[in-house]
Amino acid sequence: RDAIRSEMGIDATDFVFLMPAKLIDKKKPDLLLEAYLSLPLEARNRTHVVYMGDGALKPTLEERLLDEVGHKVHFTGFVNQAELGKYYIASDAVVLPSAYEETWGLVINEALLFGKPCLVSDRVGSRHDLVLEGKTGMIFPSEDFSSLKCSLLSMPAWLKSERPLITRACLELGAEYSAANAARGIAAAATAVFA
């Protein structure tokens, strides 16, 4: 973890929010950026946002940062599937602030498999099953800037105070919703229908 962070220019003690998604309007990367930039300077100085992905809004996001001194926002661009793990390892939490109905949000499954809690909007479909408030993450109302900002501020303290419990809850729930378990469920359903 520390070696990966060092490569990215991130201090080992800073808090890292990872947004693993296309940088498109539906995913609301701009809402996350504005919420981050509005954090009190002391909190902002200890917080990084890593956008893992590419998309039409990337130039707009980068342009927004031109006048911001000392920001800690990183853009990875497109990341090959074999390289995804290192960004999850380097992060503390995953953010998915989608504005329109996000059918599921597979990145939440991925985050849990790495033991990372998630901060998601109430438009992310998997929130009902995977984001258990106060156990595996936090949920905020879609496009609610103030709620997202409050969650960005409170999540580091929550994770610091309960990291072992949160990590374990994420890993256990992630394993329950694994591809292997999904395949077993489909096989059992098919067997029941065609038996």
Side-chain angles (χ1 to χ4, degrees):
R1 178 178 177 269
D2 290 352
I4 295 166
R5 283 186 170 212
S6 181
E7 276 178 34
M8 299 173 69
I10 298 174
D11 191 84
T13 60
D14 285 350
F15 196 91
V16 177
F17 286 103
L18 174 68
M19 183 176 170
K22 289 181 181 175
L23 303 181
I24 57 176
D25 187 53
K26 171 183 176 175
K27 306 287 186 178
K28 300 310 286 180
D30 50 341
L31 182 71
L32 173 58
L33 182 60
E34 292 305 324
Y36 163 76
L37 292 175
S38 73
L39 295 177
L41 189 59
E42 184 184 342
R44 204 171 103 177
N45 285 339
R46 299 187 318 266
T47 306
H48 292 253
V49 172
V50 177
Y51 288 102
M52 183 174 69
D54 213 339
L57 290 181
K58 184 179 177 188
T60 305
L61 298 170
E62 290 175 324
E63 187 176 320
R64 172 67 180 88
L65 290 167
L66 290 177
D67 296 328
E68 293 291 335
V69 178
H71 69 79
K72 296 184 176 187
V73 178
H74 312 262
F75 296 92
T76 68
F78 172 78
V79 176
N80 187 289
Q81 195 169 9
E83 297 292 312
L84 296 178
K86 78 178 194 177
Y87 294 101
Y88 283 106
I89 291 168
S91 71
D92 290 293
V94 165
V95 185
L96 191 58
S98 302
Y100 316 129
E101 194 60 43
E102 181 86 46
T103 308
W104 182 258
L106 193 57
V107 297
I108 305 307
N109 293 73
E110 293 172 354
L112 296 182
L113 289 171
F114 282 92
K116 307 300 176 173
C118 301
L119 172 57
V120 303
S121 81
D122 60 5
R123 297 295 183 156
V124 175
S126 60
R127 75 189 181 282
H128 298 294
D129 300 293
L130 300 182
V131 185
L132 309 178
E133 191 76 42
K135 292 184 178 178
T136 62
M138 298 177 177
I139 302 167
F140 70 95
S142 174
E143 299 194 70
D144 186 330
F145 175 85
S146 296
S147 293
L148 176 55
K149 179 182 174 181
C150 287
S151 296
L152 292 176
L153 282 169
S154 63
M155 192 170 243
W158 170 61
L159 193 54
K160 184 178 181 181
S161 68
E162 299 183 42
R163 189 181 295 264
L165 291 174
I166 295 165
T167 300
R168 186 168 65 243
C170 291
L171 290 170
E172 287 174 357
L173 192 55
E176 187 179 328
Y177 281 82
S178 69
N181 279 348
R184 279 190 285 276
I186 292 168
T191 301
V193 169
F194 297 111

